[in-house]
Amino acid sequence: MQILLIVLFVIFVLIGVPISYALGFVSFAGIAALPIIPNSVVFTKMFNGLNSFTLLAVPLFILAANLMNEGSISDRLIDVCKSSVGHVRGGLAHANILVSMIFAGISGSSQADTAGIGKILIPAMEKQGYDKGTAVGVTAASSTLGSIILIGGIVSGLFTPTESAAVACVYALIIGIFFYHTIKISRIPAILIETMKLSSLSLFALAAANALGELMSYYQLNEKVQGIFVGMPGGKLVFLIVVVLFFMFVGTFMDAVPAMILFVPIILPSATALGVSPIILGLIVVVTLALGLVTPPYGLCLLLAGSISGISIEDSFKGVLPYFLSSIAVLALMIVFSDVFLAIPTALFPNLF
C-alpha cells in the first residue's frame, strides 16, 4: 500500500497537479483504505495542523512584504544599498545582494523578495550591461536569504517569530501611511486579499501535509527510516548527505514549511540516534530547501526571476549555477565541520548545549 501511495503522489506531481491537492488526495486515499482509522481524521488533522500561533507568522510575513512593496519601502531600500556599494565594480549586483539581506530580515519571504526586488533590479542590471542570466542568477540566489526568520528581536528575547512578523507589518504600515504617504487606506483591503490568496497556497499545503503525516505515523515510517540509517555504513556523514539530496529534490516542488512539517519528524529520530545535533539538522534542512527555490524544474524563485527577464529556465539556472555551487560548498562544510557552525548558538545560549 505504501508503494502504491508513493507512486500515486509522484504521478500527480509529474502531471502538474498542485502539490497541496496531491498531498490531500494521497492522504485521504491512504486513510480511507485503512478501516481502523475514520476518514474524518483527515479533516481533523488538517484543522489542528493550522491551529497554531506560530504558523500565524506565514501570512504575517507575506503581509509585511506586500505592505513594503505597496509603500515603496523596497524602492528606498534599493536606493540605500546602491548608495552604499553601487560605486564599486559590479556595484549593482552587490546592491542586489545587500537589499536581499535586508529584505530577508524584514519580510522573511523569498518569493516576495524575487518578485518585488527583481522587478526593479533585473531590468536595471540589464540596462547597465549585465547579461540576462547574471541578473536573474544574482536576484534568484540572493532572494533565498528570505528563508532566515527576523533574528534580531528573536535572539534578543523580545519577540517570538510570529510577533516579529507582526511588528514588521505594523512598522511597514506606519512608515507607508504616515511618513512616506505611499500606502492609501483605500488600498488596505486589496493588500489583505492578496495576502490571503498567497498565504492560502502555503497553508493549504501545510494542512494536507499534516494529514499525510498521520498516515505516515500509522505505517511507522520514522522507525523504518531510522532502522535503515543506523545500520548503514558511513553513519552520520552518509545520513546528512542523503538528507541534503532528499530535501533538495523535495524543495524543487514543495514549499519549505509543509516539507519540514512532513519530513523532519521522519528523519529526526535517525539524526538523534546518529548523534546529529538538532540545530545542525535544522540548518542543513533550511539551507537545502532554500536551494530548492532556485533548482529546476519547479524552483519558484528561479521561475519568477526568469519570467521577469523573459529567459528560459535553462538559461536562468546557468546564471544561478555559480551561487548554487557555492551554497553546496557551504552545506559540505556544514556537514563535515558541524561544530564550527554551532559556535555562535553555543555562545548565545550556553545553557542549551
Side-chain angles (χ1 to χ4, degrees), residues 131-203:
D131 64 82
K132 290 178 177 291
T134 299
V136 167
V138 172
T139 303
S142 63
S143 68
T144 60
L145 293 169
S147 298
I148 304 172
I149 55 171
L150 307 175
I151 63 173
I154 297 169
V155 170
S156 65
L158 295 176
F159 310 127
T160 65
T162 302
E163 290 166 348
S164 296
V167 168
C169 291
V170 173
Y171 175 81
L173 191 62
I174 292 175
I175 292 294
I177 293 177
F178 299 106
F179 287 85
Y180 296 150
H181 306 290
T182 48
I183 297 180
K184 306 299 181 183
I185 300 296
S186 60
R187 283 283 301 155
I188 291 180
I191 295 172
L192 293 175
I193 290 172
E194 181 65 21
T195 299
M196 287 187 285
K197 287 180 179 178
L198 292 174
S199 301
S200 64
L201 299 175
S202 297
L203 292 177

Side-chain angles (χ1 to χ4, degrees), residues 11-350:
I11 291 174
F12 281 144
V13 172
L14 290 177
I15 65 176
V17 175
I19 189 66
S20 54
Y21 293 116
L23 290 171
F25 185 84
V26 171
S27 303
F28 189 82
I31 290 178
L34 300 172
I36 62 174
I37 302 179
N39 294 339
S40 60
V41 166
V42 175
F43 308 105
T44 302
K45 292 296 294 184
M46 291 178 73
F47 175 81
N48 291 338
L50 297 181
N51 188 22
S52 167
F53 175 76
T54 302
L55 288 180
L56 282 175
V58 175
L60 287 174
F61 277 136
I62 295 174
L63 176 59
N66 286 339
L67 288 170
M68 287 180 61
N69 288 330
E70 181 72 22
S72 300
I73 297 175
S74 302
D75 298 350
R76 288 169 169 81
L77 285 177
I78 292 171
D79 290 340
V80 169
C81 293
K82 283 182 180 178
S83 64
S84 301
V85 296
H87 59 282
V88 301
R89 184 176 181 181
L92 200 53
H94 289 295
N96 194 330
I97 296 170
L98 183 59
V99 75
S100 288
M101 291 176 62
I102 299 173
F103 199 89
I106 298 174
S107 79
S109 173
S110 297
Q111 295 91 326
D113 186 339
T114 305
I117 294 173
K119 289 177 183 176
I120 300 171
L121 282 183
I122 289 178
M125 290 180 70
E126 292 174 359
K127 185 176 180 180
Q128 203 173 85
Y130 292 85
D131 64 82
K132 290 178 177 291
T134 299
V136 167
V138 172
T139 303
S142 63
S143 68
T144 60
L145 293 169
S147 298
I148 304 172
I149 55 171
L150 307 175
I151 63 173
I154 297 169
V155 170
S156 65
L158 295 176
F159 310 127
T160 65
T162 302
E163 290 166 348
S164 296
V167 168
C169 291
V170 173
Y171 175 81
L173 191 62
I174 292 175
I175 292 294
I177 293 177
F178 299 106
F179 287 85
Y180 296 150
H181 306 290
T182 48
I183 297 180
K184 306 299 181 183
I185 300 296
S186 60
R187 283 283 301 155
I188 291 180
I191 295 172
L192 293 175
I193 290 172
E194 181 65 21
T195 299
M196 287 187 285
K197 287 180 179 178
L198 292 174
S199 301
S200 64
L201 299 175
S202 297
L203 292 177
F204 186 75
L206 176 59
N210 274 279
L212 188 57
E214 177 71 14
L215 184 63
M216 289 181 172
S217 65
Y218 171 82
Y219 287 117
Q220 298 179 327
L221 193 58
N222 56 347
E223 296 179 8
K224 294 177 182 178
V225 170
Q226 181 176 344
I228 292 173
F229 282 111
V230 170
M232 182 182 291
K236 181 170 69 172
L237 180 62
V238 171
F239 169 76
L240 290 176
I241 291 173
V242 172
V243 166
V244 168
L245 294 175
F246 175 74
F247 278 101
M248 193 174 297
F249 168 72
V250 169
T252 62
F253 60 86
M254 185 181 294
D255 197 35
V257 176
M260 287 186 283
I261 291 293
L262 188 58
F263 296 113
V264 169
I266 296 175
I267 65 170
L268 185 57
S270 302
T272 303
L274 292 169
V276 178
S277 165
I279 303 296
I280 288 297
L281 181 66
L283 283 171
I284 289 174
V285 169
V286 170
V287 172
T288 305
L289 285 172
L291 286 180
L293 292 169
V294 293
T295 307
Y298 303 110
L300 186 55
C301 289
L302 188 68
L303 292 173
L304 285 171
S307 65
I308 292 171
S309 182
I311 61 175
S312 67
I313 191 170
E314 292 82 5
D315 291 336
S316 298
F317 186 65
K318 289 178 183 177
V320 86
L321 188 58
Y323 313 101
F324 177 84
L325 293 176
S326 65
S327 297
I328 293 295
V330 171
L331 278 172
L333 292 173
M334 200 179 296
I335 291 171
V336 178
F337 303 106
S338 57
D339 290 342
V340 175
F341 290 85
L342 285 175
I344 293 178
T346 300
L348 291 172
F349 307 102

